[in-house]
Amino acid sequence: MEIEFVAADAAAPQKTALARIVFEGAALEGQLARAAAASRFTGAKGQTLDILAPEGGAARLVLVGAGKAESFDATAAEHAAATAYGAVKASGLETLRIELPSADAQLAARAALGVRLASYRFDKYRTKEPVEKKPTITKTQVVAAEPDKALAAFPSLAALADAVSFTRDLVSEPANVLYPAEFAKRVKALESLGLEVEVLGEPEMTKLGMGSLLGVGQGSVRDSQLVVIRWNGAADKSAQPIAFVGKGVCFDSGGISIKPADGMEDMKWDMGGAGAVTGLMHVLAGRKAKVNAIGILGLVENMPDGAAQRPGDVVTSMSGQTIEVINTDAEGRLVLADAIWYCQDRFKPKFMVDLATLTGAIIIALGHDYAGLFSNNDELSQNLLAASAAEGEPLWRLPLPDQYNRQIDSMIADVKNTGGRPGGSITAALFIQKFVNGVAWAHLDIASTAWKKPSAIPTIPDGATGFGVRLLNRMVAENYEG
Ligand code: BES
Ligand code: MN
Ligand code: ZN
């Protein structure tokens, strides 16, 4: 999608759909007032009114409701622009020209971001899509009072859109294509952005004593990988880094504790945490963020096999703690145990944030709009919550009660990997906490938000959301740069 910021009097190209964003209750004139009266269009958020061949020469005019003027913020601008795109994307027209009800350059840039995010599609495996279903809009013009100012505000948002798209692509790929080594290869290719990428294979992880992570991948013909991504953008290249760790289960069959067939295909998405960490590193490099950051991806495939790990097995993690594997389907925490220990052991970061599609229980607790936040540090939590609200990626903090650790006491090892159904997301987080070694840490359980099927948010097409990239990018920008 090509983006331009233009002045109101700039000529529109041929085949343009004009979108006028209007506030609720705003007065419309002439033909538009009559059209609105004939259709119950009031300008309420999300409403659209399509007018074909309107007076004035545009091929098509769509009115988009933006809700109340007082609540028109950056998210509302994104959503209105994304809704406009959705209304005309497959119209046969080629340019979308958006007129906003506000002169703010930042809002114009966010409107452009909204279109970039809404126009994401994963269509590489479609060979027979009817032409009339294919999107035709290839260019978006956002009309701005000061086009240069809007343009200057856009590059960091374009970098964000690129990164979110990269994450969505990773998460959408089927598991026969995106297995750990292929994932690692795609991350390695990001060295062209200025990132440093190291890939550890099974021999290296064996040497490090990562019995917990390796046990998960043991039943797969695909080798497990640990990927270390580094962005050194701070003025002081040796300044203490911040760190992000992602669960990257490229496919989660459950292993020997196999999942039911119904819905199992969704488990190609079980690398959404690693996908988000990759996207974050992508945007930090893309906008040359002034920060030193580490991204660690634990990449495995969880499969049943003669060589697979069994329920009841005891594995030894890199931390030295032994783990009784009660259920081979509680594999994400086993991967994170070693990835997180390795992270703090090697990099001594200021803090660690892990992202993981960890538990079905978080969906039961919070539904599909909120991800769960667990943390041993109030300041880190506050920074995450503030960024999450501003980026429209909601988080809800849940407790880490010490007394629930009883649920993961093992009869024969230091800890077991499941704590039963009560508080299932909490006991999963408590398990992970045993591997953070006292470092400031937050865990985001994104099993509820990594994909939407269907999505009700105009900037998120059905499927992979890229959840986490936006909120972490803002959290870094607002607290840890410069
Ligand atoms: N990847 C799943 C969690 C998940 C479930 C993500 C549904 C998205 C949608 C995770 O590995 C898992 O299987 N968790 C188990 C844990 C249980 C065995 C303690 C779960 O949530 O059922
Ligand atoms: Mn599982
Ligand atoms: Zn899983």
Side-chain angles (χ1 to χ4, degrees), residues 247 249 252 259 267 270 329 331-332 357-358:
K247 167 180 171 179
V249 178
D252 180 13
K259 290 180 179 294
M267 287 299 122
D270 209 18
D329 196 12
E331 85 297 338
T357 50
L358 203 66

Side-chain angles (χ1 to χ4, degrees), residues 101-449:
S102 147
D104 186 298
Q106 191 63 40
L107 292 185
R110 290 284 288 256
L113 172 65
V115 175
R116 282 284 318 267
L117 294 172
S119 63
Y120 173 81
R121 255 168 85 85
F122 188 76
D123 55 6
K124 66 191 280 196
Y125 298 115
R126 291 184 182 278
T127 66
K128 297 182 176 173
E129 189 174 34
V131 273
E132 65 275 14
K133 291 210 165 149
K134 279 203 198 302
T136 53
I137 300 284
T138 54
K139 182 196 273 200
T140 295
Q141 292 186 330
V142 180
V143 176
E146 295 169 289
D148 293 351
K149 257 197 177 168
L151 184 64
F154 191 58
S156 61
L157 298 178
L160 177 60
D162 290 344
V164 171
S165 298
F166 193 83
T167 299
R168 288 176 179 174
D169 279 346
L170 289 172
V171 175
S172 301
E173 282 287 8
N176 62 325
V177 173
L178 196 85
Y179 45 91
E182 171 63 19
F183 193 144
K185 192 175 131 202
R186 291 191 189 190
V187 178
K188 188 81 185 163
L190 298 182
E191 288 192 325
S192 63
L193 297 175
L195 294 167
E196 286 168 41
V197 179
E198 241 175 282
V199 181
L200 281 64
E202 293 188 350
E204 289 93 338
M205 286 190 273
T206 304
K207 247 184 243 152
L208 288 162
M210 295 191 172
S212 182
L213 185 154
L214 288 167
V216 176
Q218 198 178 295
S220 169
V221 297
R222 305 298 194 181
D223 274 358
S224 302
Q225 313 267 280
L226 189 86
V227 177
V228 178
I229 316 171
R230 309 178 70 160
W231 170 249
N232 278 314
D236 175 3
K237 304 289 170 216
S238 64
Q240 192 182 22
I242 57 178
F244 302 87
V245 183
K247 167 180 171 179
V249 178
C250 293
F251 189 73
D252 180 13
S253 68
I256 296 299
S257 313
I258 197 163
K259 290 180 179 294
D262 198 25
M264 201 202 275
E265 69 281 4
D266 285 353
M267 287 299 122
K268 73 171 184 181
W269 281 320
D270 209 18
M271 34 54 71
V277 170
T278 305
L280 172 69
M281 300 307 288
H282 192 301
V283 62
L284 294 182
R287 63 176 184 77
K288 308 231 177 301
K290 293 187 174 39
V291 65
N292 293 341
I294 306 287
I296 304 232
L297 318 176
L299 305 178
V300 303
E301 184 181 55
N302 188 21
M303 297 292 275
D305 178 77
Q309 121 175 307
R310 293 150 290 258
D313 283 4
V314 174
V315 295
T316 302
S317 67
M318 184 183 172
S319 73
Q321 296 174 88
T322 56
I323 304 163
E324 186 184 11
V325 179
I326 299 296
N327 188 319
T328 65
D329 196 12
E331 85 297 338
R333 62 199 78 182
L334 297 172
V335 172
L336 288 173
D338 279 337
I340 287 176
W341 184 269
Y342 175 81
C343 179
Q344 58 80 34
D345 184 54
R346 177 167 170 197
F347 296 107
K348 312 282 184 272
K350 263 188 226 155
F351 65 76
M352 302 186 281
V353 178
D354 80 72
L355 290 93
T357 50
L358 203 66
T359 66
I362 202 71
I363 304 172
I364 305 305
L366 299 178
H368 277 291
D369 287 345
Y370 284 80
L373 160 65
F374 300 83
S375 181
N376 61 4
N377 186 290
D378 291 343
E379 187 191 332
L380 181 57
S381 295
Q382 276 317 313
N383 291 344
L384 286 163
L385 287 165
S388 126
E391 292 291 321
E393 293 190 329
L395 296 177
W396 194 262
R397 190 173 179 184
L398 292 159
L400 288 165
D402 186 40
Q403 65 273 27
Y404 290 14
N405 273 307
R406 270 200 302 267
Q407 287 176 230
I408 49 173
D409 281 345
S410 161
M411 278 176 62
I412 65 161
D414 296 333
V415 63
K416 61 181 180 182
N417 79 330
T418 59
R421 285 166 61 85
S425 305
I426 296 176
T427 53
L430 286 168
F431 178 94
I432 295 170
Q433 189 173 26
K434 294 185 187 293
F435 301 88
V436 305
N437 205 14
V439 174
W441 153 80
H443 157 60
L444 306 185
D445 191 337
I446 61 169
S448 46
T449 57

